[in-house]
Amino acid sequence: MSDDPLVPRVYQTEALRRALEGNVVIRADTGSGKTLIAILLIRHITSTPVKASDPRKLIFFVVPSVPLVTQQANVLRQQTSLRVKQFIGADGVDFWQREKWQQELERADVVVLTAQILCDMLRHSYWSMDKISLIVFDEAHHCRKRHAFNQIMAEHYHPALEKGSPVPKILGLTASAVFNPTNPEKSLKELESNLAAKIVELETEEFSSSAPPTTESLVFYEQEETLDLTPTRVEALAQASGIVELRGSKFLNNIELTKSELGRAVSDIFITQFIRDLAQPRPGQDPDDRSQLLKLLSLIGPELPFSLDDASTLSPKLHRLIEVLVESRECDDFRAILFVDRRVHAEAISEALRKVPVLAGWTKVESLLGHGGREGEDRFGMTPKQQEETVTKFRSGEVNVLVATKVAEEGLDFRHCCLVVRIDPIQTLVGYIQSRGRARAKNSRFVVLSEEGSEAATRYRSYLEAEPEMKKATLGREDADVDEPDLPGLPTFVTATKAILTYASAIPLLNSFLSLLPCDDFSAQPKAEYAVVNVGSSFQATVTLPMIASLPTLRSANGQFFPTKKAAKQSAAFKVCKALYEAGGLDDHLLPVRERRGEGARDADGATISSDKCRKWVETSFDNVFGDPEQEDLPLWLSVVQVAEPGRPPFHVGLVSSSSLPTFSDGHFFKSSPPAPEIQTVDVALISSRPLALETDLRRERIKKLVQLNRDCIIVWLNRRLPEAAKLHPLWAPVVHVSTSASPSFFDVDWAQVDSAFSNPSPTDLIPDTVVHIRLPRVQRRVMRVVKVRTDVNSLSPALEIEPSADSHRQKFMAKYGGFVALVKKYYRYDASETTPETIVHLQEVREPPITTQLVRRLPPDEMPLTRPIEERNYPIGMLSLTTLSQDWIDFVRLMPSVLRVVHDRARATAVVDHFKLPSIRPDLLINALTNPACNVGYDYQSLETFGDSVLKLATTVHVYLQHPTFDEGRMATVRQNSVDNRFLRLRSLAIGFAGFTINEVYRTKSFIPCTSETAVTSDKGTTFTRMVSRKVLSDTIESTLGAAYLTGGLRTALETGDRLGLCFGGSVPWGKRQAAKALVEEGAGGTPAGFVKIQQDLGYAFRDARLLLRAMTHRSFVGADSHCYEREEHLGDAAVLDFWATYRLFELFPDLTPRRLTFLRALLVSNVTLAFLSLRVLRVDKTIRHSSSTLDAAIKAALAEIEGEEGYTWSKILEDLTWTWDAPKVLGDVFEAVLGAIFVDSAFNLEAVYKVLDKIYEPILPLLRDIEKRDPYSDFLMLKDARHCRCLKIRVTPIKNFFEAVATFHDNPIATQRASTRAVARQVAAQDALKVLRPGSDSDDDGVWAKCDCGSPEPKVEVKEGGDEEMKDGGEGENEMEDVEEGGTTSALKGKKRSFQEISPESSEDGSAEEDTDEGVSGGLGSLRVREY
């Protein structure tokens, strides 16, 4: 149809009028513009105003075949401005959920689709009749019997009409309303009844002129005996039969039929095509068979051994066909369609015609086939895309002869053809009318080839003679009444959502369910097998089912007795579908239940998981464990902390807070004082915590002084840049031991010491060598020694007289600001008087020995030797202070950040246990589990998170296995993943408030800032504060807490912890004691078969219930199975047992492993190659697995031959080389994991029983791991790319038929190409080859291949910049740029890339899920640093 706007003719306008009056079926010849009538009606309906309260309605344009969907959708888009959606089965619509349908339909006004899709939509109640305004049935004559057109009307339209519910308008379009020429009236009445519409025949003079007549002719041929097949083809066929089993007798019949009807040449072509198809790669194909077939194909050759000029090579029928084609050669814009019945004939005839010399040069021949395949044929038709490409070529003239099956008879919009030939006999009246309608060009011909006197010729004449009568019958029925159909009396089943299960829908629904069952390369797609028996005049069907997890004990079902075989089969399928629904295999929409990821996902307990996206940084509220002692309405507490250094008596200090703190005695940190090499342990204990009673007025005064004391001490001895607004929580105080006769001795705040801590000196107090302190933040050297009191100058003296020896930079600075008073005002922020002179004191810097404290024992950082001279300064006396604080107090202040951190972290760990009522967990482990890596304390949650992740997967997987006994592996895996992924854990952390107990405060010793002031917003009362926390911290800390719980008290403690945190663990009851677990094992149920006794001996485990072992060894293909296959146990063994054992053993063997190294070694232990090797060596799977697949048998034998070959495989070779490149059948690893799962279940979920087996099996492997350093090739490839900073080095993997092709490119030039049956292996072997090119010698050889790389040098990773006012340089009062960033502190954590804490897995995908998290830690934890990351 043209893209130009169409102008309706009078008869089309009349047809529209009739369609507006009621439901009609338009009967008109092909090419007469029926589609335009539909467009006119659609335009009218969509332009009619509707009430706002009316429901939104759609228009459905329903077609019988896939090619028509695209064609009609394009026409509607061209001729209307409506939103047009099109759906075909190839789009995957059978697997869409209700939400997906709703989303798609919300964006549509008109929907073009095949009939079966609409039928399924209505059955599953995705849409309903009352929300449809119009249904257009294209090729409406199909609406009879069990066609989907008729099912839509019978199951949904007519019942709604009977109930008085709203129904849509019906418009049918057809070129043939009569399917029975002997009784046209019956055909017309049935079609009208089915469609609830009247048939309207278009018959006007204008119509006759718009549809030019076609010349019809019956061309006869005389059938002759054809020559025998070419000997080479006969021999080739015989050899092919010896290589593969031919597909039944139908193939041989096809050869004989082709030879007799089409001749020797076409038969030879057909045989060549058949062998070519056999040689195509396919799953499970024996490589040797394919090699022999390819060799056989090359011997045959592509060309025929004779010329098609030889009359004896073609049948008389084809000779007549060629003559007809030549007769029509002179037709303007020659186009021809040649109709055949069989697909194999279409392709063979196409190839033969291309080789006919008389047709060469002016004919361009292609074939056009349908989608499906017939039994006995190896050609399975065309994809929708291939069909569309062929039709497009025919329209454009690139192809002018189509050899087509009935797919070209109706609907498709072709250019007008001047010749249509029926090569094979016409079978139906509809087929005759539809194919003849293709001949629409001026002076076109419709030719039927037939033997004279044949039944086919007689049938054609009868159709030709009956057509006028049929038109007459149609025209005379304008006022006939429409009969309502009789609904079948078969049972139906309606769900809560009003989805309907009928006998007609039962078989398709069952097939749809079975199509979603898992299958691998070694098992056929699961399907139902029906057996029908005749009992008297009735039939009964038995349906045999494949393995279905939701119906583990139902392997067959008998239907009721019915008078027809079809109804008997439907009855059996109906029974199974009801059972599936009742067992939870089908949902309320009668759709196969599939667990979701993302929106609508459920966890293992059935709760819906929010799909709201989580920002990378989450604002999190934390309880202030110290409270705010400045809040007068909060109680005061005094906690006494004891600090003990080696060689010194314990020192006691008070900690004033507004909350009680937990006591402990085992805290510690580490101290070093270079250049002394030894590291000392400083013990910390919180020995008491009691209320501190103060009257309101006195409290306000004393707390104010205590705040000032703490601020002064921090500025003088820790961090002169303490922000003025910094909240000091808690407050440290000197204490005194009080002993009275009336009460036990106790510690109290030494308020006298607080009052007199600092004082302003007089000149007489400042004798030489007196130590003074400067409490002004702008002064760098805050501890000074008096040299002398200046009597020669005062503060009003000229600046150069006060400091005549100042360097040039300082002199310029003083000159800029004038006098000395202006200088100290501007720079020191000291409010000096401009009129009253002050005494000037000459001071010298006091250098205190450096102290480094750490929370973990490690070598102190190397201290740079201090080479600058001792500084001297002249300050006004008002800037100086004297202190009465003891040296012990001063020493404590320098240790205070570490002491406070110990107290804070212990309080946070105690708070989380108390709040969630967790079982007892070792405090040190729990503190590690809660600590963000960005805190820079030397420990964090990362190692515990790796172990806790395994604990989480173990407990959740077992719970899913027990809680959902009817879930197959796919559903179990999805539900498990929903319950353990980062999204779920983040939501749990936020929902229960666990995030507020994580430890995110950066650990600073040399630039101390109170944790509640840095990066935090404190509440008005100081009891809570909020800060931005990385979302990854939220999920990781839950996993690490599980790891800490397991390492503290084993599985019971971990289960109780997970249960308290709301994880899907099924409670804290041990698994073996749960009722669901007890029902899984029947002691002594059946003896162990003789073939499996050796396995038990090799495993060192005797099964209590031998059925579990048999199930673990049963593949899905096994036809004799009386239960389910190994898939559920395989999931249990893989996702729970094996992963956890590997993680636990690696923690034991290598306690200092980094998470990255641990992940790598664990991958080696549980890789498919390792498991396949074990499966063959220990389980002898080649002899014990139960299966019925010849391809699986061949794959296992091939794998066995590899490991037992001349070189043989050793464990070292497996771990170092083959782990990544040996493409072992996955079934081998699956069986090994299933056996582990079976042992776990049989032992009442006793981990130790499985550990014992695994320790025995892996005994020769574990010692080898210590020496494994080699990484997989792809990881090396990525590391090389990163080291070279090359942006143009990549590997792309593309699926090609039954394998994957990986191509490595370097600056767009391919350097390695490899193929394998799996994506991962293809990528690894391609990387392996690429590394040989990229590293022929030394990595640093820039004269080799890397000379081509101009990607440039690495960019800087961190940019550090300090802000602030103008400061002095060159030894003045200015700062060293990095002075306030401690060694090994936050800055060092930033020097790596953004992914510093994240392991990169080369085989990791994509997730959904997922969101990638990195360990950014705490937002703003860098103080004034501005970080730029690349």
Side-chain angles (χ1 to χ4, degrees), residues 176-354:
S176 176
V178 177
F179 58 84
N180 182 2
T182 61
N183 192 346
E185 180 64 24
K186 180 180 178 182
S187 297
L188 297 173
K189 289 183 67 175
E190 182 178 337
L191 186 60
E192 287 184 329
S193 175
N194 291 343
L195 283 171
K198 289 185 178 182
I199 296 175
V200 174
E201 176 76 22
L202 294 186
E203 186 65 31
T204 68
E205 292 182 2
E206 185 187 17
F207 169 66
S208 299
S209 63
S210 68
T214 298
T215 301
E216 298 188 45
S217 58
L218 188 61
V219 176
F220 297 109
Y221 61 88
E222 293 183 2
Q223 187 68 23
E224 298 175 356
E225 185 173 349
T226 57
L227 297 177
D228 291 334
L229 299 173
T230 306
T232 57
R233 264 56 177 185
V234 175
E235 177 61 24
L237 188 60
Q239 291 187 39
S241 301
I243 297 171
V244 296
E245 182 181 352
L246 296 183
R247 299 183 177 178
S249 60
K250 283 193 175 183
F251 171 72
L252 300 176
N253 292 340
N254 279 337
I255 294 178
E256 187 61 33
L257 183 63
T258 304
K259 184 170 73 72
S260 63
E261 291 191 4
L262 304 176
R264 174 185 180 184
V266 180
S267 300
D268 285 359
I269 291 171
F270 175 50
I271 293 173
T272 304
Q273 290 175 340
F274 176 72
I275 297 175
R276 186 184 301 130
D277 288 342
L278 290 179
Q280 292 297 317
R282 63 194 68 204
Q285 185 182 40
D286 190 328
D288 293 338
D289 289 351
R290 183 167 183 263
S291 177
Q292 294 180 52
L293 289 169
L294 289 173
K295 183 177 180 182
L296 181 59
L297 198 60
S298 65
L299 292 176
I300 296 174
E303 300 299 330
L304 295 172
F306 44 76
S307 171
L308 290 185
D309 282 336
D310 184 352
S312 64
T313 61
L314 295 175
S315 68
K317 179 193 286 189
L318 284 193
H319 277 294
R320 296 296 284 160
L321 171 64
I322 294 170
E323 291 173 2
V324 170
L325 286 169
V326 173
E327 290 170 2
S328 301
R329 177 177 182 177
E330 300 304 321
C331 174
D332 294 337
D333 193 16
F334 173 78
R335 278 180 176 78
I337 300 179
L338 316 178
F339 283 101
V340 296
D341 285 343
R342 298 176 178 82
R343 293 183 181 88
V344 291
H345 286 179
E347 293 209 319
I349 291 174
S350 298
E351 189 166 341
L353 293 179
R354 286 192 288 268

Side-chain angles (χ1 to χ4, degrees), residues 1161-1178:
L1161 292 180
R1162 181 175 59 188
L1164 289 178
L1165 286 180
V1166 303
S1167 72
N1168 184 61
V1169 169
T1170 303
L1171 302 184
F1173 191 69
L1174 288 171
S1175 196
L1176 291 169
R1177 285 287 177 85
V1178 178

Side-chain angles (χ1 to χ4, degrees), residues 1358-1376:
V1358 178
E1359 198 174 81
V1360 182
K1361 184 176 181 181
E1362 290 235 18
D1365 294 330
E1366 180 180 4
E1367 296 185 353
M1368 296 184 182
K1369 309 290 183 182
D1370 302 330
E1373 300 298 338
E1375 299 290 339
N1376 183 324

Side-chain angles (χ1 to χ4, degrees), residues 150 157 361 450 453 467 538 729 773 791 817 851 865 1036 1094 1107 1118:
N150 202 24
Y157 183 92
S450 177
E467 188 177 16
S538 299
H729 304 156
H773 301 86
T791 58
Y817 292 106
I851 293 178
D1036 287 355
K1094 182 69 166 57
R1107 296 175 303 174
F1118 188 50

Side-chain angles (χ1 to χ4, degrees), residues 987-1211:
L987 291 173
R988 289 305 307 152
S989 180
L990 293 172
I992 63 178
F994 189 82
F997 292 90
T998 57
I999 299 174
N1000 301 276
E1001 294 75 15
V1002 177
Y1003 174 54
R1004 298 174 181 269
T1005 56
K1006 296 186 178 180
S1007 55
F1008 174 74
I1009 297 176
C1011 58
T1012 51
S1013 295
E1014 181 190 24
T1015 75
V1017 178
T1018 309
S1019 65
D1020 292 340
K1021 292 201 170 184
T1023 55
T1024 62
F1025 55 93
T1026 58
R1027 61 160 38 96
M1028 303 301 289
V1029 178
S1030 165
R1031 66 184 180 189
K1032 188 175 190 300
V1033 173
L1034 308 185
S1035 55
D1036 287 355
T1037 47
I1038 285 188
E1039 292 175 319
S1040 57
T1041 301
L1042 289 176
Y1046 188 92
L1047 293 176
T1048 299
L1051 182 62
R1052 185 65 180 264
T1053 301
L1055 288 177
E1056 189 174 346
T1057 299
D1059 185 53
R1060 296 287 192 275
L1061 298 180
L1063 304 180
C1064 298
F1065 285 7
S1068 58
V1069 176
W1071 300 315
K1073 295 183 179 180
R1074 300 182 187 182
Q1075 193 59 40
K1078 295 178 181 178
L1080 294 175
V1081 180
E1082 184 178 343
E1083 191 83 35
T1088 303
F1092 293 90
V1093 173
K1094 182 69 166 57
I1095 292 181
Q1096 294 191 124
Q1097 295 172 351
D1098 292 339
L1099 291 172
Y1101 181 85
F1103 278 83
R1104 296 186 299 154
D1105 189 340
R1107 296 175 303 174
L1108 289 168
L1109 177 59
L1110 294 180
R1111 188 188 309 162
M1113 301 298 294
T1114 301
H1115 184 256
R1116 175 171 283 280
S1117 65
F1118 188 50
V1119 296
D1122 54 0
S1123 65
H1124 202 56
C1125 56
Y1126 61 61
E1127 291 166 1
R1128 279 177 52 83
E1129 284 64 41
E1130 179 263 325
H1131 177 74
L1132 182 65
D1134 171 25
V1137 178
L1138 186 59
D1139 179 85
F1140 184 73
W1141 170 84
T1143 305
Y1144 189 62
R1145 284 291 179 260
L1146 288 172
F1147 257 90
E1148 286 187 328
L1149 292 172
F1150 311 111
D1152 296 327
L1153 273 184
T1154 63
R1156 173 178 175 177
R1157 182 74 179 153
L1158 185 145
T1159 302
F1160 170 65
L1161 292 180
R1162 181 175 59 188
L1164 289 178
L1165 286 180
V1166 303
S1167 72
N1168 184 61
V1169 169
T1170 303
L1171 302 184
F1173 191 69
L1174 288 171
S1175 196
L1176 291 169
R1177 285 287 177 85
V1178 178
L1179 300 181
R1180 299 298 301 178
V1181 167
D1182 56 308
K1183 300 181 184 299
T1184 54
I1185 186 172
R1186 303 200 303 169
H1187 71 92
S1188 301
S1189 170
S1190 58
T1191 54
L1192 175 57
D1193 191 61
I1196 292 175
K1197 288 179 179 177
L1200 186 64
E1202 284 192 73
I1203 69 172
E1204 294 181 347
E1206 293 183 3
E1207 295 184 3
Y1209 287 174
T1210 63
W1211 275 121

Side-chain angles (χ1 to χ4, degrees), residues 1311-1387:
I1311 58 175
T1313 301
Q1314 282 287 354
R1315 292 180 175 182
S1317 59
T1318 64
R1319 181 184 297 272
V1321 171
R1323 183 164 47 203
Q1324 292 290 354
V1325 292
Q1328 195 173 50
D1329 288 354
L1331 290 172
K1332 295 176 183 177
V1333 177
L1334 298 169
R1335 294 198 289 206
S1338 169
D1339 288 355
S1340 60
D1341 183 12
D1342 291 330
D1343 297 329
V1345 65
W1346 287 101
K1348 303 175 183 178
C1349 182
D1350 57 354
C1351 293
S1353 58
E1355 298 179 3
K1357 299 171 185 174
V1358 178
E1359 198 174 81
V1360 182
K1361 184 176 181 181
E1362 290 235 18
D1365 294 330
E1366 180 180 4
E1367 296 185 353
M1368 296 184 182
K1369 309 290 183 182
D1370 302 330
E1373 300 298 338
E1375 299 290 339
N1376 183 324
E1377 188 177 43
M1378 295 298 293
E1379 177 196 344
D1380 279 352
V1381 181
E1382 60 178 315
E1383 298 88 333
T1386 303
T1387 300

